[in-house]
Structure formats: structure tokens, C-alpha cells
Amino acid sequence: MPDYLDDLRLAHVLADAADAATTERFKALDLKVETKPDMTPVSEADKAAEELIRGHLKRARPRDAVLGEEYGVEGTGPRRWVIDPIDGTKNYVRGVPVWATLISLMEAGEGGFQPVVGVVSAPALGRRWWAARGHGAFTGRSLSSASRLHVSRVSELSDASFAYSSLSGWEEQGRLDGFLDLTREVWRTRAYGDFWPYMMVAEGAVDLCAEPELSLWDMAATAIVVTEAGGSFTGLDGRPGPHSGNAAASNGLLHDELLGYLNQRY
């Protein structure tokens, strides 16, 4: 089985380059922001970071395909890099430090493409998380200075911390009643949003999280970090991996209950 460690090292190099570019423009008074056709914002920093990553990949992995949020898919083949240059653009443009670059390598296999490497880098928080298939998940400053991640062992909803992004998406999908029932059963809820709840599930600080509507580039990197930390990452339909257009992540012990509440009246 491939060890993917060379790809993981490359992903860190890509994240370093993206961090430098995005940090330089964070809180810039002249930052240019546009509205995309789906009514979500995109900044010049989003575009610049993705172009930078694509340029590095073209030189280092010319045979691999690339899928990015801002510029779509380029190339074909059994290996595909998936990029979200800034996950949390709305935070980024308002000066909120909760945003990250998400970089994943996906490889063709049974059931389609599956993530085999993932790096989540949040420079404004001073945090980075990563994983490679079969090697576990880690957080730290670098590959040589890291600590291994493991999900929590909380086994009762009444003791669990549940994180989410917002209420509106659950209401639009007709899942709000089940969502609210879940919030009443757990010990604590917090709306951290975007990539961060998944990383907190991986490090055992949060026990479960979910979002009703996501794209592949929002999930590919976070999915492998959660699963390599011993957790579960599925769609709301229970399908493993980042392919369902939404996500549920947990320490595994609470996953069936999480899905049960979010689907109970749907």
C-alpha cells in the first residue's frame, strides 16, 4: 500500500505558500471582494492562493488532476488534488481569524475517489492539522514537531459537545426540528463553523458536528483528519466520506445517534 508521505510533505509545502499569501492580505484595507453567482463572496486572496497552489502542483505533480473551489477541475487520472484556498471566506473578509486553507489528495478506488492525504492550515489561529491514510492524524507546527490526534471517548449524548455552523440550512432542508431536539439532549452546543468543528472532533475537544450543505472541497481534507484520528465522517445519509453534499462527524461512539436526530423528521 502506498505510504503517501511524500504527498503529505508536498501538501505542507503548498500550505506554507498559501499561508504566506493569505496572511499578507488578511485585514488589508484594500482587499478586493466579489460576489459569485451562488451569492457567496470570493476575495482576491482566495484566487491568489488557489493559483499559487495550482502552480506548485503543475511543477511537482504534473500528471495529477486538480479540483479547486475557484477554478474548477483541470486534468484527469486516478489522483486528484482538491483545494479550498480559504475555507471561511466570510470570516476572512470581516477580519475574523477562523479560516483555513484545505488541501487534500484523493485517489480513485472502490466507491470513487477517496481522500488519502489532508492538510488543514489556519495561520491566523496559529494551528495546522494533517493526516495520511494509514499514518494517523496530527497537529503541530511542522511534521517534525507534532502531536497525534485522537477523538474523545464520550459515549453519552448528555455528556457530549455538539458544534455546527448555522441554523438556516437545517431549516431550509426541513431538518430543524431534529437538529433542535439534538441540541436539547447534548451537554453543550457551540456554532464555531467551517473547518474548525471537524478539527476539534479529531482532537477530542468536541464530540460531534454536522453541516447540511457542503461541497467536496469543504470536506475532503477534514474527512481524512477525522477518520485517521479514530472518528467517523459521513454524509447525513450515512455514506462514508465526503461525497453526500453534507457532513456528519463524530467520535464514532455517538454517530448513529447523531444521524438519527438529524434525520428523524426529514
Side-chain angles (χ1 to χ4, degrees):
M1 186 179 82
D3 66 16
Y4 302 110
L5 293 181
D6 282 344
D7 295 309
L8 178 61
R9 282 188 281 269
L10 174 59
H12 276 273
V13 171
L14 301 175
D16 288 343
D19 284 357
T22 54
T23 301
E24 182 181 6
R25 297 299 291 155
F26 184 50
K27 294 187 177 181
L29 296 178
D30 61 344
L31 182 72
K32 295 177 182 177
V33 183
E34 303 169 7
T35 300
K36 294 191 286 188
D38 64 359
M39 301 309 292
T40 60
V42 57
S43 75
E44 63 180 79
D46 292 80
K47 294 180 178 180
E50 184 167 325
E51 289 170 350
L52 192 64
I53 293 170
R54 285 175 179 268
H56 276 280
L57 287 171
K58 191 168 288 187
R59 295 186 293 273
R61 296 290 189 274
R63 296 182 180 180
D64 293 351
V66 181
L67 170 65
E69 179 176 9
E70 307 308 335
Y71 295 107
V73 65
E74 181 180 3
T76 59
R79 288 164 47 98
R80 176 181 292 176
W81 294 85
V82 179
I83 305 158
D84 189 343
I86 298 178
D87 183 56
T89 298
K90 292 177 182 177
N91 283 346
Y92 184 88
V93 302
R94 288 296 303 271
V96 178
V98 183
W99 48 272
T101 295
L102 313 184
I103 300 168
S104 177
L105 172 63
M106 301 186 75
E107 199 167 72
E110 291 185 22
F113 282 87
Q114 299 298 332
V116 294
V117 166
V119 171
V120 176
S121 191
L125 295 177
R127 298 294 310 277
R128 183 177 291 186
W129 304 260
W130 63 88
R133 180 188 285 177
H135 290 276
F138 295 84
T139 186
R141 295 287 183 179
S142 66
L143 282 165
S144 60
S145 177
S147 53
R148 189 155 188 164
L149 300 175
H150 200 285
V151 296
S152 75
R153 293 177 173 81
V154 173
S155 59
E156 300 290 338
L157 279 181
S158 58
D159 297 324
S161 181
F162 171 50
Y164 60 97
S165 287
S166 68
L167 295 178
S168 58
W170 301 104
E171 187 170 29
E172 290 165 6
Q173 289 195 5
R175 299 180 190 265
L176 184 58
D177 287 342
F179 174 90
L180 292 175
D181 284 347
L182 174 61
T183 67
R184 296 181 185 108
E185 291 298 319
V186 297
W187 166 64
R188 191 170 191 251
T189 62
R190 283 293 183 273
Y192 299 108
D194 300 305
F195 68 94
W196 206 9
Y198 302 96
M199 298 303 94
M200 286 192 279
V201 167
E203 58 191 22
V206 165
D207 309 300
L208 55 166
C209 66
E211 288 182 89
E213 187 174 3
L214 292 169
S215 298
L216 179 60
W217 47 76
D218 297 313
M219 299 183 281
T222 59
I224 189 166
V225 174
V226 169
T227 55
E228 285 292 323
S232 297
F233 190 107
T234 72
L236 297 177
D237 57 5
R239 180 185 178 192
H243 298 289
S244 300
N246 45 49
S250 76
N251 63 6
L253 301 174
L254 298 168
H255 207 75
D256 289 344
E257 288 180 274
L258 172 62
L259 294 179
Y261 274 95
L262 297 179
N263 289 301
Q264 69 178 358
R265 304 183 191 179
Y266 181 61

